[in-house]
C-alpha cells in the first residue's frame, strides 16, 4: 500500500460546509503533498509540506488550508466547500532522493 | 506555458508495437518521475531518474539533462499497458510538478 492511507475515500458534502481530508503515511518521509486531479488539468498542487509545521502553497491553494502537526499526518481542509472543489484529491509522500508514493485518492463531491 | 509538457496527449497502439512518450521540462530539477495511472485507479511510480537510463521489464526511461527531455518507452506493448502515463519533476523547494499525462490505449 506504499505506506500511505487517505480518508475518507468518498465524500459528498453540501456547499458552504467545511471538509477535512486526512493523509497518513507510515514511512517517516519528510515531504507530503496534496493534489487535485481534474479532467484536462492533470494533477495540480494545492499545498505541500517539507516538515512538521512547515507548509507552503501550491498553484491552486485558494480555499484550502493544511496542517501537519505530526510527521505522519497531513490534513487538507476546505474551509467552505464550493462546487468548483468537486474533484479527486490525491496525497503523496517522498523523502530526499526517493520516489513518490501516492494514496488511492479521495473523490469529493460538493452539491 | 506549463513547466512540464508531455506528448502526445493521446496514443493508440496495436498490441506488440513499440511506444514512446515524451516529456520536456523548463525548470531545474533534481529528479524526474514517470508514473502510471489505470482508469479509476491510484497512481504508481514507475521510475525516478536524474541521469541516463533505467529499465524495468518492458519499460525503459531515459533522460537528457542538457536538453531537459525524457522519454518513456514500452516495448512489445500489451492491452494491460493501457493507462495514463504521467511525467513529474522534483524541482526547487522539493515541489513535485506534473505534466497533464498521456492516455495510452493498446488494442488487440
Amino acid at each position: 500500500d506504499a505506506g500511505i492511507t487517505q480518508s475518507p475515500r468518498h465524500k459528498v458534502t453540501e456547499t458552504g460546509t467545511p471538509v477535512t481530508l486526512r493523509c497518513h503515511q507510515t514511512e517517516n518521509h519528510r515531504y507530503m503533498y496534496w493534489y487535485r486531479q481534474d479532467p484536462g488539468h492533470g494533477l495540480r498542487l494545492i499545498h505541500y509540506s517539507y516538515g512538521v509545521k512547515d507548509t507552503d502553497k501550491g498553484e491552486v491553494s485558494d480555499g484550502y488550508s493544511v496542517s501537519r502537526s505530526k510527521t505522519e499526518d497531513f490534513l487538507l481542509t476546505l474551509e467552505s466547500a464550493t462546487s468548483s472543489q468537486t474533484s479527486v484529491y490525491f496525497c503523496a509522500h517522498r523523502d530526499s532522493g526517493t520516489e513518490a508514493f501516492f494514496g488511492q485518492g479521495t473523490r469529493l463531491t460538493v452539491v | 506555458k506549463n513547466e512540464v509538457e508531455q506528448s502526445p496527449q493521446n496514443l493508440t497502439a496495436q498490441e506488440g508495437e513499440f511506444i514512446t512518450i515524451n516529456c520536456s521540462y523548463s525548470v531545474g530539477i533534481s529528479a524526474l518521475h514517470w508514473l502510471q495511472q489505470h482508469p479509476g485507479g491510484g497512481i504508481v511510480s514507475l521510475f525516478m531518474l536524474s541521469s541516463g537510463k533505467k529499465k524495468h521489464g518492458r519499460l525503459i526511461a531515459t533522460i537528457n539533462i542538457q536538453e531537459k527531455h525524457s522519454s518513456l518507452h514500452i516495448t512489445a506493448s500489451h492491452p494491460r499497458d493501457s493507462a495514463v502515463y504521467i511525467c513529474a519533476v522534483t524541482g526547487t523547494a522539493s515541489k513535485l510538478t506534473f505534466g497533464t499525462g498521456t492516455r495510452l490505449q493498446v488494442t488487440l
Side-chain angles (χ1 to χ4, degrees):
Chain A
D1 66 351
I4 183 168
T5 306
Q6 286 185 233
S7 59
R9 294 291 312 280
H10 302 270
K11 186 169 182 68
V12 179
T13 192
E14 291 187 349
T15 299
T17 60
V19 176
T20 296
L21 308 183
R22 180 179 184 243
C23 179
H24 178 80
Q25 56 121 339
T26 58
E27 303 299 313
N28 202 37
H29 282 173
R30 179 180 177 187
Y31 303 103
M32 296 187 76
Y33 307 84
W34 275 108
Y35 295 89
R36 58 179 290 173
Q37 186 176 42
D38 305 288
H41 288 280
L43 286 148
R44 292 183 291 173
L45 181 64
I46 305 171
H47 283 277
Y48 67 105
S49 170
Y50 43 94
V52 172
K53 296 187 178 169
D54 288 325
T55 65
D56 207 346
K57 295 179 180 180
E59 59 184 304
V60 290
S61 59
D62 287 347
Y64 302 94
S65 63
V66 289
S67 67
R68 192 165 178 205
S69 59
K70 298 185 289 185
T71 298
E72 58 266 35
D73 289 324
F74 193 32
L75 304 180
L76 176 71
T77 297
L78 288 64
E79 293 136 11
S80 177
T82 67
S83 59
S84 65
Q85 294 175 311
T86 292
S87 186
V88 180
Y89 291 84
F90 284 96
C91 175
H93 68 90
R94 56 178 283 274
D95 216 346
S96 299
T98 72
E99 62 184 319
F101 300 92
F102 291 82
Q104 289 298 303
T106 295
R107 186 172 296 276
L108 176 69
T109 303
V110 183
V111 298
Chain B
K1 189 180 186 297
N2 291 335
E3 293 180 347
V4 182
E5 298 277 357
Q6 281 185 242
S7 64
Q9 286 189 310
N10 295 283
L11 182 57
T12 300
Q14 284 196 315
E15 184 177 12
E17 286 186 8
F18 181 85
I19 289 163
T20 297
I21 300 170
N22 296 299
C23 176
S24 296
Y25 53 92
S26 57
V27 295
I29 68 169
S30 57
L32 183 140
H33 308 254
W34 281 103
L35 309 155
Q36 181 192 56
Q37 185 177 28
H38 280 103
I43 300 167
V44 176
S45 176
L46 298 174
F47 296 102
M48 185 186 77
L49 61 167
S50 53
S51 65
K53 176 179 171 179
K54 287 190 176 180
K55 184 174 189 290
H56 185 250
R58 294 180 296 105
L59 301 178
I60 303 166
T62 64
I63 188 169
N64 184 316
I65 297 293
Q66 286 73 30
E67 295 185 3
K68 294 187 175 178
H69 181 268
S70 175
S71 293
L72 176 69
H73 305 287
I74 305 175
T75 62
S77 59
H78 190 275
R80 65 175 175 266
D81 297 326
S82 298
V84 176
Y85 293 83
I86 306 168
C87 173
V89 298
T90 307
T92 56
S94 290
K95 285 168 60 174
L96 195 56
T97 305
F98 291 81
T100 54
T102 295
R103 187 174 300 275
L104 172 65
Q105 181 74 34
V106 181
T107 59
L108 292 169

